[in-house]
Every structure is written in structure tokens, then in C-alpha cells.
Amino acid sequence: MKEFKKIAKFEIVSFDNFKASLEGFSDKDVKCIYDELKKPRRATIGSAGYDFYLPFNITLAPGETIKIPTGIRVYIEPNYVLKLYPRSGLGFKYRLQLNNTVGIIDSDYYNSDNEGHIFAKITNDSNEGKILDLKKGEAFMQGIFVEYGITFDDDTTGIRNGGFGSTSGK
């Protein structure tokens, strides 16, 4: 079997960060959800994608959207990025969409003000009237690590100082 280069490590965000990201849950429920968070994993040795798991049950009618705090952050070596996609089966059956099409988690997001907490905003884009009903702990999204390069004349010196969208227009 091929030896893979190990370039990243998933972690759970702090309880306070996770609690601040949830709305409509009691403190007791938040603690229970937090204690049962699962780090992303590959399903098989041949899987490229790391499955992200739902922290709570969701039901989405066609056209409905929800923002999901995963409770996950990831340390990534420089020159790599984590690309997020819907699980292919959910995309095929329900046209499940990530609202930003493909999520991009840069290596410096780990040190952002929000601890690098990864969120997903998903929509059931079914045009067949299918209701998406997923349970806590089910995989809903997958992340794939990809190496990238830069241009010969790149002179970027900016440093991230915020969370999601903090590099816009810089």
C-alpha cells in the first residue's frame, strides 16, 4: 500500500466557541452535542474525502437552507487547502448544495479569530419535492486536501486576522 504524506490534523473547537455558534439550544443540549462531536474520517482506505458529521438532526424541505457549525477546525501544512463538497450521494439524491458551491479552508484559517471553526451552509435544492432528513452523526459533507502552487511573481504579505470571509478584498 502507498504511504501517504500526512499534512493535516482535525481538532474540535473550544466549548465556548461552539456554544456561541449554536442558537436555540439549551446549555445542557449544547454540552451533550459538543461531547458527541466526531472528527472527520475517511470511510475506506481508498477514499479521498474526509466525511464531516452532523452535530444535530436536520430536516430540509426543498429550497430550505441551514447553517451548520461543525465544531471542527483543521491544522493544514502550508501549500495545502481543504476543499469541501456535499457527500456525492446526497447531491445525487437531493441536489444537496453547499451555498458557496465549494468550501475552501486555507491553512491560515486555523489561526483566525473564530479558532478556524468550519461552518457549512447547505440547501436542499431538490426539484423533485424530496425532503432531506438526516440524523445527528450522519455524514453530510466531505473534505479533500489538495496541494496548490503560487505564481512566480506572487508578493503577498497579508496575514489573516479574522474568520470566514476575512480575506475579502485584501
Side-chain angles (χ1 to χ4, degrees):
M1 179 165 61
K2 178 181 172 162
E3 185 68 29
F4 288 99
K5 184 176 182 182
K6 296 184 179 185
I7 52 88
K9 181 181 179 186
F10 289 109
E11 300 172 358
I12 306 292
V13 298
S14 71
F15 176 75
D16 289 339
N17 181 293
F18 187 71
K19 181 179 175 183
S21 70
L22 285 180
E23 298 173 7
F25 290 90
S26 71
D27 287 351
K28 182 179 176 183
D29 288 342
V30 172
K31 178 71 170 129
C32 181
I33 292 168
Y34 182 80
D35 288 345
E36 295 177 359
L37 288 172
K38 295 167 51 175
K39 293 180 188 175
R41 295 181 46 102
R42 293 184 310 138
T44 68
I45 60 172
S47 297
Y50 282 81
D51 291 336
F52 280 71
Y53 305 99
L54 285 169
F56 45 77
N57 298 339
I58 64 166
T59 301
L60 293 177
E64 287 187 332
T65 297
I66 188 170
K67 183 171 94 174
I68 300 168
T70 66
I72 302 299
R73 66 190 291 214
V74 62
Y75 168 81
I76 307 171
E77 292 283 330
N79 296 78
Y80 285 87
V81 63
L82 176 64
K83 298 173 86 175
L84 300 172
Y85 305 92
R87 294 258 339 266
S88 48
L90 295 175
F92 187 81
K93 293 176 189 170
Y94 300 95
R95 291 179 45 115
L96 179 70
Q97 303 289 324
L98 289 178
N99 284 27
N100 57 346
T101 312
V102 175
I104 299 294
I105 307 299
D106 299 310
S107 63
D108 62 350
Y109 186 57
Y110 179 81
N111 295 314
S112 66
D113 293 347
N114 75 346
E115 297 180 23
H117 190 169
I118 298 170
F119 289 78
K121 193 169 187 183
I122 61 172
T123 297
N124 176 357
D125 201 21
S126 173
N127 56 11
E128 300 169 350
K130 294 180 180 177
I131 294 175
L132 176 67
D133 188 26
L134 298 174
K135 302 297 179 212
K136 175 181 182 174
E138 284 189 66
F140 74 101
M141 175 174 75
Q142 60 185 326
I144 299 173
F145 294 98
V146 178
E147 189 173 19
Y148 66 90
I150 59 173
T151 62
F152 291 114
D153 59 348
D154 184 285
D155 62 357
T156 304
T157 59
I159 298 173
R160 181 184 302 274
N161 64 359
F164 181 75
S166 63
T167 60
S168 305
K170 296 188 175 161

